[in-house]
């Protein structure tokens, strides 16, 4: 399972520069004029994980395969996008295909870089984008909501009644200028949650605000990023501080040691990519399990709370269909005892069945029969 997120924001806030740095490509043109990005650029990057590096050093496999993060650089949005202004219709269609939104906000002053709104105000910029998404959501819902209400008057139409129960609080929230995610049904109500997901609402997607600051503010942030973090906290959204300019420089360095030394010289403990992935995984409730053998050591991404057969199916559908059991060793135990056999001898390998909830860092070997 991958993690697919769309990089969005107003024109000229650093989206394409960030995309290029994170994917270490020059696929996305970066320039100082609106709508530089027209067609969405897609890149896949390896998810950095020190645990995978440790396992690879211990097992010494022929191949090491990290988890993958897919990033989509989407055209800049302007006021009126919900009505088709700028590249609005295309923007909305592209963002609908992503799992989460990385919302890049300009948090730096630079008279040489044009701001489409004429001044730097990241909270205002965030609200412009979110307002357009809310308008689009409301327009897509209102007709369906009215139709469902008419049908729901019949006591026998349980489907329409469910639709009304799910859509009514969402429509009310959107009319009040609030995103759909504030009216999401309780996770315990599985039926309502399924219906809610089927609505495919733009403002139901998790949001990670990325504060693009100047190089001097990369370690500490600034007044602009402080305002964004307050907004994120109020919305239960994620937020990170990065400098796209620094990320561009890091991407050009060849060795990990060079990158680490460069970041440390700027007072930074990790790269922007690492920050975004950690925040994104937390936002989407993602975790990692590992498979390890002489041919390959590999990291697999799964949704927190998934049972063993579901995680087996991430490798291949046959693994889930014919699931028997999962031989399980915790990452910490594997590192402590040094090998699979040593873990067996110490009684640290467990045999888990269909109801086992996979834990972050589990090392798994699936037994199946089809």
């Amino acid at each position: 399972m991958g993690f697919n997120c769309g990089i969005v924001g107003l024109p000229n806030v650093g989206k394409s520069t960030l995309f290029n740095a994170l994917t270490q490509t020059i696929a996305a043109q970066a320039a100082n004029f609106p709508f530089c990005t027209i067609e969405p650029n897609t890149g896949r990057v390896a998810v950095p994980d020190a645990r995978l590096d440790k396992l690879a050093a211990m097992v010494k496999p022929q191949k090491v395969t990290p988890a993958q993060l897919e990033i989509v650089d989407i055209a800049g949005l302007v006021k009126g996008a919900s009505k088709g202004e700028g590249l609005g219709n295309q923007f909305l269609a592209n963002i609908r295909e992503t799992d989460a939104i990385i919302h890049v906000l300009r948090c730096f002053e630079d008279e040489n870089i044009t701001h489409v709104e004429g001044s730097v105000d990241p909270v205002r910029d965030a609200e412009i984008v979110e307002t357009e998404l809310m308008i689009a959501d409301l327009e897509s819902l209102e007709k369906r909501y009215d139709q469902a209400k008419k049908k729901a008057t019949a006591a026998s139409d349980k489907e329409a009644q469910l639709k009304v129960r799910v859509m009514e609080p969402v429509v009310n929230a959107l009319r009040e200028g609030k995103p759909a995610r504030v009216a999401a049904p309780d996770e315990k109500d599985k039926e309502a949650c399924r219906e809610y997901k089927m609505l495919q609402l733009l403002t139901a997607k998790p949001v990670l605000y990325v504060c693009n600051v100047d190089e001097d503010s990369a370690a500490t942030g600034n007044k602009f990023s402080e305002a964004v973090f307050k907004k994120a906290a109020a919305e239960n959204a994620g937020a990170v501080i990065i400098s796209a300019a620094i990320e561009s420089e890091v991407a050009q360095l060849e060795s990990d040691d060079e990158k680490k030394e460069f970041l440390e010289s700027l007072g930074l403990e990790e790269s922007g990519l690492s920050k975004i992935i950690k925040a994104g995984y937390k936002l989407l409730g993602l975790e990692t399990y590992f498979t390890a053998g002489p041919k390959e050591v590999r990291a697999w991404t799964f949704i927190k709370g998934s049972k063993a057969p579901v995680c087996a199916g991430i490798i291949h559908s046959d693994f889930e269909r014919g699931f028997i059991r999962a031989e399980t060793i915790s990452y910490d135990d594997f590192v402590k005892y040094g090998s699979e056999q040593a873990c067996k001898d110490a009684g640290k390998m467990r045999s888990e069945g269909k109801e086992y909830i996979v834990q972050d860092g589990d090392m798994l070997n699936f037994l199946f029969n089809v």
Side-chain angles (χ1 to χ4, degrees):
M1 176 177 293
F3 168 33
N4 175 295
C5 50
I7 298 182
V8 306
L10 297 181
N12 298 344
V13 296
K15 300 185 311 300
S16 295
T17 301
L18 177 62
F19 174 86
N20 289 337
L22 297 184
T23 58
Q24 298 188 23
T25 71
I26 53 171
Q29 184 184 7
N32 182 26
F33 57 87
F35 310 122
C36 172
T37 301
I38 298 176
E39 293 296 328
N41 300 290
T42 301
R44 295 181 69 83
V45 295
V47 175
D49 193 322
R51 296 173 300 180
L52 182 68
D53 298 335
K54 179 69 174 178
L55 292 175
M58 293 174 67
V59 177
K60 296 180 173 59
Q62 296 173 19
K63 183 181 179 183
V64 179
T65 306
Q68 295 288 310
L69 165 66
E70 185 173 272
I71 301 177
V72 184
D73 177 34
I74 298 172
L77 176 146
V78 294
K79 285 180 182 177
S82 58
K83 304 296 183 184
E85 290 295 325
L87 298 168
N89 292 331
Q90 189 171 339
F91 174 96
L92 297 174
N94 292 334
I95 198 174
R96 209 175 290 278
E97 301 301 315
T98 64
D99 297 319
I101 297 171
I102 294 179
H103 192 158
V104 182
L105 296 167
R106 178 170 166 178
C107 295
F108 65 89
E109 300 271 15
D110 189 335
E111 60 184 19
N112 296 316
I113 300 179
T114 305
H115 193 295
V116 71
E117 290 296 317
S119 62
V120 177
D121 185 342
V123 172
R124 175 205 60 205
D125 294 352
E127 289 172 350
I128 287 173
V129 172
E130 190 162 74
T131 296
E132 295 301 326
L133 299 183
M134 286 190 290
I135 292 171
D137 276 347
L138 187 58
E139 289 181 348
S140 77
L141 267 190
E142 284 186 318
K143 189 175 181 180
R144 286 185 282 171
Y145 175 56
D146 290 340
Q147 290 173 341
K149 277 179 70 177
K150 290 176 183 177
K151 292 181 180 180
T153 55
S156 59
D157 200 332
K158 302 298 182 184
E159 183 181 349
Q161 290 168 10
L162 173 63
K163 289 180 184 294
V164 171
R165 180 161 67 86
V166 173
M167 285 194 281
E168 188 166 57
V170 176
V171 169
N172 289 337
L174 290 168
R175 286 172 175 167
E176 293 171 6
K178 298 175 184 176
R181 56 184 167 272
V182 306
D186 191 299
E187 291 181 3
K188 294 178 182 177
D189 190 341
K190 303 297 183 184
E191 199 175 42
C193 284
R194 280 195 297 271
E195 180 64 35
Y196 177 74
K197 287 179 181 177
M198 289 175 65
L199 297 176
Q200 293 187 305
L201 300 172
L202 299 168
T203 60
K205 296 179 183 294
V207 175
L208 172 64
Y209 292 115
V210 174
C211 303
N212 183 17
V213 301
D214 57 276
E215 293 189 32
D216 292 339
S217 304
T220 59
N222 56 29
K223 64 179 182 181
F224 299 124
S225 62
E226 285 178 13
V228 174
F229 270 71
K230 286 182 182 178
K231 176 178 173 59
E235 299 173 0
N236 198 27
V240 296
I241 296 170
I242 69 150
S243 167
I246 289 175
E247 294 304 313
S248 294
E249 294 183 58
V250 171
Q252 294 174 33
L253 300 175
E254 294 183 2
S255 74
D256 290 340
D257 287 341
E258 283 181 306
K259 292 177 181 180
K260 184 178 179 181
E261 186 177 338
F262 176 70
L263 289 170
E264 287 178 349
S265 71
L266 297 171
L268 301 173
E269 296 180 359
E270 58 185 341
S271 70
L273 172 61
S274 182
K275 284 184 181 180
I276 289 172
I277 290 172
K278 286 179 181 177
Y281 266 47
K282 182 178 179 181
L283 201 64
L284 286 176
L286 301 178
E287 293 183 332
T288 303
Y289 76 82
F290 302 98
T291 53
K295 289 187 176 180
E296 183 182 41
V297 169
R298 182 162 182 164
W300 303 86
T301 302
F302 67 98
I303 297 173
K304 184 177 181 178
S306 296
K307 293 182 179 179
V310 173
C311 288
I314 294 169
I315 298 176
H316 196 286
S317 58
D318 284 351
F319 284 32
E320 181 174 7
R321 187 159 53 93
F323 180 89
I324 299 173
R325 66 179 183 274
E327 294 178 342
T328 309
I329 302 171
S330 75
Y331 169 79
D332 289 339
D333 283 340
F334 190 89
V335 171
K336 179 179 179 180
Y337 292 96
S339 70
E340 181 179 311
Q341 187 58 51
C343 287
K344 283 183 181 179
D345 295 342
K348 296 299 182 181
M349 176 182 280
R350 311 185 309 277
S351 182
E352 303 287 1
K354 292 182 178 181
E355 295 303 309
Y356 176 65
I357 296 175
V358 175
Q359 302 299 304
D360 185 49
D362 275 351
M363 297 183 64
L364 302 175
N365 178 39
F366 296 109
L367 301 183
F368 68 102
N369 182 32
V370 290

